[in-house]
């Protein structure tokens, strides 16, 4: 399974970005999907996750106020809409996939995800 993330960039505080992740296989809807991020010197942390059915989502601490995860099974894609970006959002953002039951809530720890994309850099200046 190959994941290709895109959409990162250099923005000003308060701006928005939309990240995209395309999964190579037509079995995309077999996977719960997630976005994680890792800043220099810090551990990888959950940003958001979404179940196969898209009925269940999970967010990292306080991120639900500004970030929204969605998926389009017809396009084998998962998205992360990020609004009101802050300098502390600066990190490499990774998409990840995990085989999961249709109605099961997505996992929230990196160790539970078997497949990872290459990451896309998001830099927010103050």
């Amino acid at each position: 399974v190959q994941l290709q993330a895109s959409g990162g960039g250099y923005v000003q505080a308060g701006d928005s970005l939309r990240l995209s992740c395309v999964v190579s296989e037509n079995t995309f809807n077999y996977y719960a999907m997630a976005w994680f991020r890792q800043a220099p010197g810090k551990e990888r942390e959950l940003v958001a996750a979404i179940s196969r059915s898209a009925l269940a989502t999970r967010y990292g601490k306080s991120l639900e106020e500004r970030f929204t995860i969605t998926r389009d099974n017809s396009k084998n894609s998962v998205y992360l809409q990020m609004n009101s970006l802050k300098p502390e959002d600066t990190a490499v953002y990774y998409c990840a996939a995990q085989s999961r039951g249709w109605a099961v809530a997505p996992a929230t720890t990196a160790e539970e995800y078997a497949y990872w994309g290459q990451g896309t850099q998001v830099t927010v200046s103050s």
Side-chain angles (χ1 to χ4, degrees), residues 32-58:
M33 300 297 298
W35 289 95
F36 288 82
R37 68 185 182 185
Q38 188 165 20
K42 295 187 177 181
E43 293 186 355
R44 192 168 295 192
E45 64 174 354
L46 175 72
V47 177
I50 188 167
S51 65
R52 288 174 57 191
S53 66
L55 295 178
T57 56
R58 298 290 185 270

Side-chain angles (χ1 to χ4, degrees), residues 34-78:
W35 289 95
F36 288 82
R37 68 185 182 185
Q38 188 165 20
K42 295 187 177 181
E43 293 186 355
R44 192 168 295 192
E45 64 174 354
L46 175 72
V47 177
I50 188 167
S51 65
R52 288 174 57 191
S53 66
L55 295 178
T57 56
R58 298 290 185 270
Y59 289 89
K61 186 176 181 181
S62 301
L63 294 179
E64 188 172 5
E65 302 168 351
R66 301 183 292 120
F67 293 5
T68 303
I69 187 170
T70 57
R71 65 187 294 158
D72 186 338
N73 288 349
S74 69
K75 295 182 178 179
N76 293 354
S77 295
V78 62

Side-chain angles (χ1 to χ4, degrees), residues 86-101:
K86 304 176 180 180
E88 51 263 42
D89 295 318
T90 295
V92 178
Y93 284 70
Y94 299 91
C95 60
Q98 178 209 36
S99 296
R100 198 81 165 171

